[in-house]
Amino acid sequence: MLLWLGPILVATGLFTERMWRSLPATRALETLLISVLFLGIAAASRRLLRVTLATSLACLFAIILVWFVGVLPILSVLLLCAAAFSVGDWIIGECDIPSTIIAGLCVICAIVGWLLPFPVHYRFVYFSFFLIVVALKRKRLMAAVRDISTAWRSTVSEAPHTAAFAILIVGFASAVCWLPTVQFDDLAYHLGLPAQLSELHYYRMDVQSQVWALAPWSGDIAQALTQLLAGTESRGAVDAVWLLLVCVLTWSLTGLYATRRWQWFAVALAASQPLTASLCGGMQAELPATAAALALAFTVARSEAATWRNAAAFAFIAGFLLALKIGFIAIVLPLAIWFIWRCRGGWSLRVIVGAILSMLFACGSSYAYAMLVTGDPFFPLFSDALHARFPADVMSDPHWLAPFDASILWQLTFHTEKFFEGWNGAAGFSMLGLIGAAVIALCSRSTRALTACAVLAFIAAISTVHYFRYAYPALMLLTPATTAVVARYASARNAAILLSCLIVLNVAFQSCANWTLHVGGIKHRLIHRNDVAEIDRYAPPRGLVRAVRERDPNSIVLFCSPEEPFGAELAGRGFTVSHYDPELEHARLLADADSTGVAWRDIFGRTQANYAIVSHTSDDNAALKSALSDAQLVLTIGSDQLWQLPASEQTSVDLVRARDFAREKSWP
């Protein structure tokens, strides 16, 4: 009866909370039509190619991904993965392929992280290095490819219909990778590191223009390496690999507790989570963190002894998690306790010290450089307490600090708007629907440890900051155990019906977790198939930046609207007047009070800006309008305007160079 508590709660909530009002019916209908279309194409291709429906669907989604993302980004991310596998194989030996890739990627990102401020980041350097590493490990790589092919045929043949269903769900999540990069945090921050390595060949470490510039950066390094190799922005390709790793590791971890059919259900359940698709549309840390958390849990679950290779795998993957975000210590600590307990009695001082040093090497670069530059290793967090050298106005949104109680799972499921910038239903329904299964998993000997780690990590994350995205990786750790419990304690028919209903519900509300999906982004992408049109539609400032680059790539741009601080892709030549730049934000507040516009012109001169980008939110700003009276309107996209500023007298300080800590302080 406990197993069915969750489904009863979900059914009750759907009606009592009137969730049909939050259901994006148009988007759900589009998903249904796309699924019918793709199934039809895949079924026809299956007969022609004589392959399974799951294989045909996988090939179809892969072809479409290449079409929208580009050939070079796909080839580049595959080369990065091959190099990561080769490096990982040296460190942890023969292990499962996804964990080896993640461990190797941890090492590569760690090395690059320590080298960020130095001008060594050129395409030919990484291309040559990766080719050499791959060439040295070519036999293992070929064996791995053969293993993947054999495992695919075997697993699909054992549950062909469930496999096709799971691949279809994974394909829906991967569709978000087709979209161009238009998310707020990406344009304001995450694009900065890839852009600077591509254009400057080093990272400026400019915490004055972007207070988060020295925050943990491994996720952005992975994006930067692919962009360097491809010579173009490659976010969609990188996100597709993270999604694939999440699905494969969910499969592997579930395989420790359940049979092949239920492994496919676990994959579908993980991919159907609305936030999974949402994260595939941006550069947030939670998608790679989910892959790393699953790899870390799998490393612990399969470890029988405290060998150096097991300890190294744990240390590097744990370090990668901490190099993504300090908050992921909520995942690392419970899994570390499980690892120590599981291998109790077999630890040696050499293994312990080596593992600690490896983890510090993997995660330490951003914290060390933050300490060097600001005096605060966690900058901009705790900047006041640790007396950082630079001001850091870190926004604290009281919306995510509201008190919560034991009804948190109900609230997350049916009142998601309180915990996430989305619509109700964005957290999906499997979290609440499998609450009974989670309790049983916690009481079952085989799944108790994994479930306890996931629950502890989830509670730590959601209680610290009541924001659902931060707790998402911990939630995904529950999927293998709860799926296995459903398969074990319900009949095969009832288990399949329960899991399928939850998956379908998740997919129906998928667009509630992402505003680009909510406004029909996939439909528009399929119709227009044009990056420029989609960027102009969803992120007009990016279109204006493109126009500036076409006119003069070396121009300095000032973003005059604090609501659109989208200067990251300008590699240090974009200034914002938002909280990301406390100095210019203070100047803006004073300038807005000066109706003559003189103070705004001082900002133009101080930054030596050639162009200004103004959004519709500045329509009522009389001071800014006055300051632009002698500027020339160049282009309007949507409600955003690009103004060319008149030449001004050069100030005594070149702000771009003065804030370049790497160039001024790190170079000989």
Side-chain angles (χ1 to χ4, degrees), residues 489-500:
Y489 291 97
S491 67
R493 179 174 175 274
N494 289 340
I497 291 174
L498 169 58
L499 294 174
S500 297

Side-chain angles (χ1 to χ4, degrees), residues 151-220:
W152 173 264
R153 289 195 297 269
S154 172
T155 55
V156 169
S157 63
E158 289 189 26
H161 300 299
T162 312
F165 176 61
I167 295 301
L168 183 64
I169 302 301
V170 174
F172 287 148
S174 72
V176 191
C177 299
W178 307 345
L179 302 177
T181 304
V182 295
Q183 300 299 322
F184 185 98
D185 285 351
D186 302 339
L187 304 184
Y189 166 52
H190 290 293
L191 282 173
L193 194 152
Q196 290 177 40
L197 293 198
S198 296
E199 296 185 25
L200 307 176
H201 312 297
Y202 70 95
Y203 188 49
R204 290 164 44 87
M205 301 201 169
D206 179 3
V207 294
Q208 293 175 276
S209 300
Q210 170 52 264
V211 294
W212 294 101
L214 296 178
W217 49 36
S218 281
D220 292 339

Side-chain angles (χ1 to χ4, degrees), residues 347-586:
W347 294 98
S348 67
L349 182 62
R350 181 180 66 87
V351 170
I352 294 172
V353 172
I356 292 173
L357 292 176
S358 298
M359 186 173 70
L360 291 176
F361 169 75
C363 73
S365 60
S366 65
Y367 301 103
Y369 282 123
M371 182 67 187
L372 176 66
V373 176
T374 71
D376 173 9
F378 308 105
F379 191 84
L381 303 176
F382 316 121
S383 58
D384 291 336
L386 296 176
H387 307 291
R389 300 187 185 100
F390 301 102
D393 181 18
V394 180
M395 293 181 66
S396 179
D397 192 340
H399 192 69
W400 314 128
L401 298 175
F404 71 94
D405 51 30
S407 67
I408 181 64
L409 294 184
W410 180 279
Q411 297 296 324
L412 283 171
T413 303
F414 301 114
H415 300 281
T416 324
E417 290 178 339
K418 297 179 181 179
F419 305 94
F420 183 68
E421 311 101 325
W423 291 262
N424 291 335
F429 298 88
S430 51
M431 175 176 51
L432 183 63
L434 296 176
I435 186 173
V439 174
I440 296 173
L442 200 56
C443 299
S444 176
R445 183 175 181 180
S446 61
T447 56
R448 180 184 301 144
L450 175 61
T451 307
C453 289
V455 170
L456 287 173
F458 179 81
I459 292 173
I462 200 69
S463 60
T464 305
V465 180
H466 311 157
Y467 184 53
F468 177 65
R469 176 161 57 84
Y470 295 165
Y472 167 81
L475 171 66
M476 294 293 279
L477 280 178
L478 278 171
T479 302
T482 51
T483 302
V485 164
V486 171
R488 186 183 308 165
Y489 291 97
S491 67
R493 179 174 175 274
N494 289 340
I497 291 174
L498 169 58
L499 294 174
S500 297
C501 287
L502 291 174
I503 291 166
V504 171
L505 264 177
N506 285 345
V507 172
F509 283 82
Q510 195 173 64
S511 60
C512 289
N514 187 296
W515 66 267
T516 51
L517 293 180
H518 207 264
V519 297
I522 300 300
K523 176 187 68 176
H524 294 143
R525 188 65 166 143
L526 288 170
I527 293 173
H528 298 295
R529 305 185 299 278
N530 187 314
D531 276 350
V532 172
E534 295 305 292
I535 287 174
D536 289 350
R537 175 193 297 271
Y538 298 123
R542 286 207 78 182
L544 298 178
V545 168
R546 181 182 66 249
V548 170
R549 288 180 178 274
E550 292 171 353
R551 294 166 68 94
D552 182 3
N554 296 318
S555 293
I556 296 175
V557 180
L558 178 67
F559 293 79
C560 298
S561 305
E563 297 83 6
E564 294 183 348
F566 300 151
E569 64 179 309
L570 287 167
R573 303 185 73 84
F575 290 102
T576 73
V577 292
S578 68
H579 71 280
Y580 294 123
D581 188 327
E583 184 180 344
L584 291 183
E585 181 189 38
H586 179 67

Side-chain angles (χ1 to χ4, degrees), residues 96 98-99 102-103 105-106 173 218-219 238-254 266-267 269-280 283-299 317-318 320-325 327-332 335 450 454 457-458 461 468-480:
D96 65 294
S99 294
I102 291 179
L105 192 59
C106 297
S218 281
V238 177
D239 283 346
V241 167
W242 289 129
L243 173 64
L244 181 62
L245 288 171
V246 167
C247 292
V248 175
L249 284 160
T250 299
W251 164 276
S252 299
L253 198 52
T254 308
V267 169
L269 201 61
S272 71
Q273 283 286 345
L275 200 55
T276 301
S278 175
L279 291 170
C280 287
M283 301 166 70
Q284 297 286 3
E286 280 71 23
L287 187 61
T290 300
L294 290 165
L296 197 64
F298 187 67
T299 298
I317 298 173
F320 183 70
L321 273 166
L322 297 178
L324 286 167
K325 188 175 288 185
F328 294 139
I329 195 171
I331 295 173
V332 171
L335 289 174
L450 175 61
F458 179 81
F468 177 65
R469 176 161 57 84
Y470 295 165
Y472 167 81
L475 171 66
M476 294 293 279
L477 280 178
L478 278 171
T479 302

Side-chain angles (χ1 to χ4, degrees), residues 68-146:
F68 284 120
V69 171
V71 175
L72 282 178
I74 294 296
L75 291 177
S76 298
V77 80
L78 289 177
L79 176 60
L80 176 60
C81 288
F85 176 83
S86 303
V87 172
D89 189 65
W90 269 317
I91 295 171
I92 64 176
E94 294 189 12
C95 185
D96 65 294
I97 294 171
S99 294
T100 304
I101 290 174
I102 291 179
L105 192 59
C106 297
V107 176
I108 292 172
C109 289
I111 295 171
V112 175
W114 289 104
L115 295 175
L116 279 180
F118 306 105
V120 297
H121 306 280
Y122 290 85
R123 181 190 297 180
F124 74 88
V125 172
Y126 288 107
F127 187 72
S128 302
F129 172 70
F130 290 159
L131 279 185
I132 291 171
V133 170
V134 168
L136 291 174
K137 281 287 186 177
R138 61 188 181 279
K139 291 183 179 179
R140 281 287 294 125
L141 278 167
M142 294 305 296
V145 171
R146 288 193 296 270

